[in-house]
Amino acid sequence: MTSGVDLGRPQTQSVGSDEDVVRVRQLVRTAAVAVRLSLVDQTKVVTAASELARNTLVYGGGGTVEVTAIDNGRRPGIRIVFADSGPGIADLDLALTDGYTTGGGLGLGLSGARRLVDEFDIQTAPGQGTRITITKWSR
Amino acid sequence: MERVPILKIGDILLVSIQVDMSDQTAVALQEDLAERIVATGCHGVIIDITALDIVDSFVGRMLSTIASISRVLDAETVVVGMRPAVAITLVELGLSLNGIRTALNVERGMELIAIERADDDHDEPDDDPVPEPTASP
């Protein structure tokens, strides 16, 4: 769904613990600086990645995060894929609603992360795991 | 797991978060702070987040929880040093940090706590002021 050409090999981080979520933030921060996102956009994409990596850990039972620098011919950007083989999401509309949570959190992870990025794609089904792709373009 | 140090300065506990906290570290800080408030009898907590380059919903919730726990233990919490980009992102994320007092820096935070304590000594808590009756024409 995402447009743009990969600029380099994706960097992958497995997510199996709290510490891995911290590593995902650091990986995304480094990539966001490399494609010259503004400070505010760096902050937004790292925050979104933090929310989604935590979801991968807590709801997906762990998984992987893949970070790629991309270019659509006009501007560079960063694409991040969060994949898990957990239970999947049965009611996606509900899961994307502000304040809805099954895990005792604030219910802002998915919906908030979607607001912080330029493109947001989610593929999930019960028993099929969840795969979320986000893109943030440099302005 | 890393632990965030808590410093006592006079009647105030100062927490300066200098690391990218894992969720476990954030939860441990909540518990450590509650214990230190009771052990020291301090009436103010300042959390300096100058070094944090993001605040996500987990850390945001931790800050709200610390503020609530402190209030129950008779201490005021002030969060200081939020970066502009962090503030912009928090609002877009949908986190309003309800119930959290903020100040620009540690110095202002200390002033705010001093004012709060002085007010408390004089009159009843006025967290929910009665709205002024509007004059009817």
Side-chain angles (χ1 to χ4, degrees), chain A residues 21-84:
Chain A
V21 176
V22 175
R23 289 185 191 104
V24 167
R25 288 202 286 263
Q26 288 161 353
L27 185 63
V28 172
R29 163 77 60 185
T30 306
V33 170
V35 300
R36 294 166 185 260
L37 292 192
S38 72
L39 183 58
V40 170
D41 285 342
Q42 286 171 34
T43 306
K44 286 181 180 178
V45 75
V46 174
T47 305
S50 184
E51 300 293 344
L52 297 174
R54 183 179 295 108
N55 281 358
T56 300
L57 177 67
V58 174
Y59 299 100
T64 56
V65 174
E66 203 179 86
V67 182
T68 315
I70 56 174
D71 197 310
N72 67 356
R74 287 180 297 122
R75 45 192 188 163
I78 176 175
R79 183 171 66 213
I80 314 169
V81 180
F82 304 81
D84 68 62

Side-chain angles (χ1 to χ4, degrees), chain B residues 5-34:
Chain B
I6 301 169
L7 308 176
K8 181 176 180 297
I9 301 172
D11 192 31
I12 285 173
L13 294 176
L14 176 64
V15 180
S16 184
I17 303 173
Q18 297 289 331
V19 292
D20 190 342
M21 288 187 294
S22 71
D23 292 359
Q24 271 189 326
T25 300
V27 170
L29 174 59
Q30 257 171 236
E31 292 165 8
D32 291 350
L33 250 180

Side-chain angles (χ1 to χ4, degrees), chain B residues 80-91:
Chain B
V80 306
M82 186 179 293
R83 298 183 184 185
V86 171
I88 291 168
T89 302
L90 265 182
V91 171

Side-chain angles (χ1 to χ4, degrees), chain B residues 105-117:
Chain B
N105 52 42
V106 173
E107 200 178 351
R108 295 261 185 98
M110 291 176 118
E111 285 169 13
L112 190 60
I113 288 173
I115 292 167
E116 285 291 324
R117 295 308 296 179

Side-chain angles (χ1 to χ4, degrees), chain A:
Chain A
M1 140 261 152
T2 307
S3 50
V5 180
D6 290 8
L7 287 181
R9 284 165 55 86
Q11 288 185 285
T12 306
Q13 170 69 53
S14 65
V15 177
S17 73
D18 267 8
E19 302 297 331
D20 290 337
V21 176
V22 175
R23 289 185 191 104
V24 167
R25 288 202 286 263
Q26 288 161 353
L27 185 63
V28 172
R29 163 77 60 185
T30 306
V33 170
V35 300
R36 294 166 185 260
L37 292 192
S38 72
L39 183 58
V40 170
D41 285 342
Q42 286 171 34
T43 306
K44 286 181 180 178
V45 75
V46 174
T47 305
S50 184
E51 300 293 344
L52 297 174
R54 183 179 295 108
N55 281 358
T56 300
L57 177 67
V58 174
Y59 299 100
T64 56
V65 174
E66 203 179 86
V67 182
T68 315
I70 56 174
D71 197 310
N72 67 356
R74 287 180 297 122
R75 45 192 188 163
I78 176 175
R79 183 171 66 213
I80 314 169
V81 180
F82 304 81
D84 68 62
S85 15
I89 302 170
D91 189 338
L92 196 51
D93 286 343
L94 190 58
L96 282 165
T97 306
D98 268 355
Y100 176 79
T101 179
T102 57
L106 293 173
L108 291 173
L110 268 189
S111 53
R114 183 163 66 162
R115 279 194 291 274
L116 293 174
V117 297
D118 295 321
E119 292 167 31
F120 182 98
D121 177 66
I122 180 164
Q123 286 166 14
T124 186
Q128 305 283 303
T130 300
R131 184 183 172 89
I132 296 175
T133 306
I134 61 173
T135 308
K136 190 84 181 166
W137 298 108
S138 162
R139 272 163 230 297

